[in-house]
């Protein structure tokens, strides 16, 4: 059976022609429907953990604090503007309205922005951060069912509407009615505005981990909240003082009505807008309300309680700055003392206000001041830990009866380490970070310093990264022996700051001492590099050939033995001749050996030169003797100084005095050789030793690392 259809099979077999293609008429274009955003749906959804939302939360937090500061200023609107009357301050009314409106705009912007902020689905918080929900409809429904009512209540400009529109429109409103209405509205709207701060703080802490980046900022923030509470209590105390004075006037007016043939007291007389009315002037001249409600008089029977201070000091009739600062001081004083100095009356409102001061003061002092103390203590916690550690070290040294000089060295090291690190364990911080971050930080801290070491200046970045990743900081105080000659070398040290003294006695050989100064950019402990570059390094660390002592306070980076093994493996991949020359040039052991080698060669040269000069003088002497005494058969076989000069090339290095007169030496030696006979000449030669044999000790050639290219690496 064919795999093709019947029509196709017939076409392939040539039974009939293929059908002509069928031309269909073009179809009308399908209209593409775009999903248009509805007017109330935002076009951009913001991440709640993004930078934009985080910055806005911080800005809105500051605006909330400013708004909480502005709202209590409405309590300063009323003041005593004349004899037995109260009026509204127009300057405070206009200024507070402007600032309050600006603050309301921030609340409105925050309300609109929350329709654009995504939220994390509660069902996806099982692992990790969770999944963001970016659907505008779900965001809007969640917000409307949640915090929208509170945000709307905090945004509405109710006090402005009340002061500028409602109160002037009501013709029968009195000062007392205005006072009660305004205070009630402000306090009711103050509650949602205060409530908004707590979730806002929680969101900032959740996104960044901390509310304040520094300890001073955190302490200042908590102190600001404490001062804000004092400001609110002071403004409320001022408002209640006005009300208490007004209640006294109302009480005295009720007592005078219909008695002593006085004019009838009307409540609108207590408003300063009626101060020029004739009937009010007549009432004021005949009434005793002014005298009976005078808080400064001792004859007043009305008990003003805790509000007597504001009335007797004329705070309610002073300028805005005077009464504001006085009320702020009053609130701060009683909030800090929990209202212990308050002497209240039996008035229920006054007693309730005193109880509120006591409770708020106790809560705020334990919370805000406690937080502020915690922030301030966090600044000195490292210092306190260092003091305790230093005290423990001093007690331990006294208990162990260490000598004073050793105690001073220990204290100097502890002091220097504190100044260098401030008590921070850098290694613990780095090990807690991921490998990539740790590598980048080590590169940032060490790369420039490692490049200052000439031995590493021409290496590639990959090798420098490997070195920087394994370097650890090392601190040494003055007169500290980092390593002694003969001790095992466990780290290679690269100097960053300070000077070191590197000396050697060539294994304790008498008469030999070599000392050099290591400065920033130098290194020591190259024996460890020789050990690490061996094909099969032994488990025992190499012994140091030099003694290294710090001349000043030294900061350096150390490359430990195990880490150097890995770095040494990377060294083999470099050009061997280039690294060999660099190592020989910058190694102080090779420099010392080279200096001693050149010095020995120079002394051998001087010795041969002096011997040749003496031989020349000797030959002249023999020539003169042959002319005076005849044939010199008796002196045949006598050794010449030139023979000693030629035979002494392979001998040990000797030190000759350069100040001996050459002609005097030639004469003495010529006389000495002239007395030798041919028979005893050879015997005396074997027994002859120089009278002065001050030889220079040999300095062993340093072991050179194996810089050869590994064949396996090339393969």
């Amino acid at each position: 059976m064919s795999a093709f259809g019947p029509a196709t099979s017939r076409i392939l077999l040539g039974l009939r022609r293929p059908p002509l293609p069928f031309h269909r008429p073009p179809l009308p274009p399908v209209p593409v429907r775009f999903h248009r955003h509805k007017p109330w749906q935002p076009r951009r959804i913001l991440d709640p953990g993004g930078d934009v939302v985080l910055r806005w939360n911080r800005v809105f937090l500051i605006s909330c604090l400013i708004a909480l500061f502005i709202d209590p200023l409405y309590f300063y609107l009323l003041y005593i503007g004349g004899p037995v009357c109260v009026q509204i301050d127009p300057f405070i009314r206009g200024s507070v309205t402007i600032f309050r409106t600006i603050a309301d705009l921030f609340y409105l912007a925050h309300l609109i922005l929350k329709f654009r902020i995504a939220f994390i689905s509660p069902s996806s918080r099982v692992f990790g951060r969770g999944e963001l929900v970016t659907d505008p409809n779900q965001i809007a429904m969640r917000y409307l069912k949640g915090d929208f009512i509170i945000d709307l209540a905090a945004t509405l400009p109710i006090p402005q509407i009340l002061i500028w529109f409602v109160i002037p429109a009501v013709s029968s409103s009195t000062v007392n009615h205005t006072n009660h209405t305004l205070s009630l509205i402000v306090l009711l709207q103050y509650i949602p505005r205060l409530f908004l701060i707590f979730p806002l703080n929680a969101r900032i802490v959740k996104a960044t981990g901390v509310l304040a980046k520094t300890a001073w900022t955190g302490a200042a923030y908590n102190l600001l909240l404490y001062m804000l509470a004092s400001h609110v209590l002071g403004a409320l105390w001022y408002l209640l003082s006005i009300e208490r004075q007004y209640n006294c006037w109302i009480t005295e007016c009720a007592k005078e009505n219909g008695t002593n043939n006085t004019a009838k007291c009307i409540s609108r007389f207590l408003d300063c807008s009626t101060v020029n009315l004739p009937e009010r002037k007549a009432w004021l001249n005949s009434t005793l309300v002014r005298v009976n409600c005078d808080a400064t008089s001792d004859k007043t029977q009305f008990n003003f309680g805790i509000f007597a201070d504001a009335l007797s000091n004329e705070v309610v009739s002073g300028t805005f700055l005077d009464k504001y600062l006085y009320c702020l001081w009053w609130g701060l004083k009683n909030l800090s003392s929990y209202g212990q100095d308050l002497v209240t009356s039996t008035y229920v409102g006054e007693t309730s206000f005193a109880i509120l001061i006591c409770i708020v003061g106790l809560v705020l002092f334990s919370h805000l001041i406690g937080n502020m103390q915690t922030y301030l203590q966090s600044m000195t916690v490292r210092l306190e830990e260092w003091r305790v550690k230093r005290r423990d070290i001093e007690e331990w040294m006294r208990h162990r009866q260490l000598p004073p000089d050793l105690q001073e060295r220990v204290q100097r090291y502890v002091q220097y380490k504190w100044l260098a690190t401030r008590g921070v364990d850098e290694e613990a911080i780095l090990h807690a970070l991921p490998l990539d971050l740790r590598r980048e930080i080590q590169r940032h801290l060490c790369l420039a310093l490692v490049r200052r070491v000439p031995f590493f200046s021409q290496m590639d970045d990959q090798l420098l990264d490997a070195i920087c990743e394994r370097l650890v900081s090392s601190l040494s105080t003055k007169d500290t022996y980092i390593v002694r000659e003969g001790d095992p070398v466990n780290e290679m040290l690269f100097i960053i700051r300070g000077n070191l003294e590197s000396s050697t006695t060539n294994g304790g050989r008498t008469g030999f001492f070599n000392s050099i100064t290591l400065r920033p950019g130098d290194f020591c402990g190259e024996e460890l590099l020789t050990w690490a570059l061996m094909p099969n390094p032994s488990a025992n660390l190499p012994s140091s050939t030099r003694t290294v002592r710090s001349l000043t306070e030294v900061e350096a980076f150390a490359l430990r033995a195990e880490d150097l093994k890995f770095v040494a493996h990377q060294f083999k991949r470099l050009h061997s001749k280039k690294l060999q020359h660099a190592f020989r040039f910058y190694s102080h052991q090779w420099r010392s050996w080279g200096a001693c080698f050149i010095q020995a060669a120079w002394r051998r040269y001087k010795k041969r030169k002096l011997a040749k000069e003496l031989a020349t003088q000797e030959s002249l002497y023999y020539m003169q003797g042959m002319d005076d005494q005849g044939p010199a058969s008796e002196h045949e076989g006598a050794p010449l100084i030139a023979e000693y000069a030629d035979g002494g090339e392979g001998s040990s290095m000797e030190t000759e005095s350069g100040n001996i007169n050459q002609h005097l030496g030639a004469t003495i030696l010529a006389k000495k050789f002239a007395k030798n006979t041919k028979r005893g000449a050879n015997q005396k030669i074997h027994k002859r030793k120089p009278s002065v044999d001050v030889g220079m000790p040999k300095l062993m050639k340093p072991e050179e690392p194996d810089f050869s290219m590994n064949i396996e690496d090339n393969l």
Side-chain angles (χ1 to χ4, degrees), residues 205-379:
V205 172
K206 185 178 180 180
T208 60
V210 291
L211 182 63
K213 295 182 179 180
T214 61
W216 281 109
T217 306
Y221 175 72
N222 286 274
L223 181 61
L224 180 63
L225 294 180
Y226 193 78
M227 295 294 295
L228 182 62
S230 303
H231 162 67
V232 174
L233 288 179
L236 192 58
W237 174 70
Y238 174 84
L239 182 64
L240 294 177
S241 299
I242 295 288
E243 183 183 2
R244 193 61 174 161
Q245 180 69 70
Y246 191 84
N247 290 336
C248 180
W249 291 339
I250 292 295
T251 302
E252 292 298 326
C253 283
K255 292 180 181 179
E256 287 185 355
N257 283 338
T259 60
N260 298 329
N261 296 323
T262 58
K264 185 178 180 181
C265 179
I266 306 175
S267 59
R268 65 189 187 92
F269 286 167
L270 303 179
D271 192 347
C272 290
S273 60
T274 62
V275 70
N276 295 324
L277 295 178
E279 54 272 19
R280 187 185 184 280
K281 292 181 179 180
W283 167 79
L284 185 61
N285 293 330
S286 61
T287 184
L288 297 177
V289 173
R290 184 175 182 180
V291 177
N292 294 335
C293 293
D294 188 4
T296 60
S297 177
D298 296 335
K299 299 180 180 180
T300 303
Q301 298 179 357
F302 191 85
N303 189 1
F304 290 97
I306 62 176
F307 309 111
D309 195 12
L311 300 174
S312 60
N313 293 328
E314 297 182 355
V315 177
V316 293
S317 59
T319 61
F320 172 74
L321 184 61
D322 294 339
K323 60 186 178 183
Y324 171 73
L325 292 178
Y326 189 87
C327 294
L328 179 62
W329 170 82
W330 187 92
L332 184 61
K333 179 188 70 172
N334 290 280
L335 197 62
S336 303
S337 61
Y338 313 136
Q340 295 179 2
D341 298 334
L342 296 178
V343 180
T344 63
S345 62
T346 57
Y347 178 55
V348 176
E350 182 180 349
T351 308
S352 302
F353 183 65
I355 295 174
L356 178 65
I357 292 176
C358 183
I359 296 175
V360 173
L362 181 62
V363 173
L364 294 181
F365 192 84
S366 61
H367 181 67
L368 299 181
I369 302 301
N371 289 343
M372 186 175 66
Q373 184 179 4
T374 303
Y375 278 111
L376 294 179
Q377 286 180 351
S378 65
M379 300 175 58

Side-chain angles (χ1 to χ4, degrees), residues 451-575:
R451 289 186 184 276
R452 288 168 53 184
V453 180
F455 185 53
F456 295 143
S457 59
Q458 298 179 354
M459 295 183 180
D460 57 355
D461 293 338
Q462 182 180 3
L463 181 57
L464 291 178
D465 289 341
I467 294 174
C468 292
E469 186 178 353
R470 288 159 178 82
L471 288 178
V472 294
S473 61
S474 176
L475 303 175
S476 302
T477 56
K478 184 179 179 181
D479 296 331
T480 299
Y481 284 89
I482 298 175
V483 65
R484 297 179 185 268
E485 188 174 357
D487 292 346
V489 183
N490 56 5
E491 63 183 10
M492 195 173 180
L493 208 64
F494 305 95
I495 305 172
I496 304 304
R497 297 181 184 88
N499 298 324
L500 295 174
E501 180 190 28
S502 178
S503 60
T504 181
T505 60
N506 195 20
R509 181 174 297 179
T510 305
F512 185 88
F513 181 78
N514 174 261
S515 177
I516 55 176
T517 301
L518 303 179
R519 295 178 173 84
D522 295 334
F523 59 92
C524 62
E526 53 264 32
E527 300 92 350
L528 197 64
L529 181 60
T530 305
W531 168 81
L533 286 175
M534 291 181 180
N536 296 314
S538 61
N540 298 328
L541 296 176
S543 300
S544 176
T545 59
R546 309 185 71 88
T547 298
V548 182
R549 182 177 64 91
S550 59
L551 300 177
T552 60
E553 294 177 346
V554 177
E555 296 182 18
F557 283 111
L559 194 60
R560 295 169 181 170
E562 296 299 327
D563 296 330
L564 189 58
K565 281 186 179 180
F566 175 80
V567 178
H569 180 70
Q570 300 296 325
F571 279 170
K572 295 182 180 181
R573 301 181 182 276
L574 297 177
H575 195 274

Side-chain angles (χ1 to χ4, degrees), residues 102-134:
I102 296 175
D104 291 343
L105 294 178
F106 282 91
Y107 281 94
L108 180 61
H110 181 69
L111 187 144
I112 297 174
L113 187 65
K114 292 190 74 172
F115 283 100
R116 298 172 176 263
I117 299 177
F119 66 94
I120 299 176
S121 177
S123 59
S124 63
R125 293 180 180 176
V126 179
F127 179 78
R129 183 185 174 185
E131 182 182 356
L132 286 178
V133 178
T134 58

Side-chain angles (χ1 to χ4, degrees), residues 37 41-47 51-53 112-113 115-118 134 136 139:
H37 288 276
Q41 290 182 347
R43 294 181 177 272
R44 179 185 177 187
I45 302 299
L46 301 176
D47 185 3
D51 294 337
V52 176
V53 177
I112 297 174
L113 187 65
F115 283 100
R116 298 172 176 263
I117 299 177
T134 58
I139 295 174

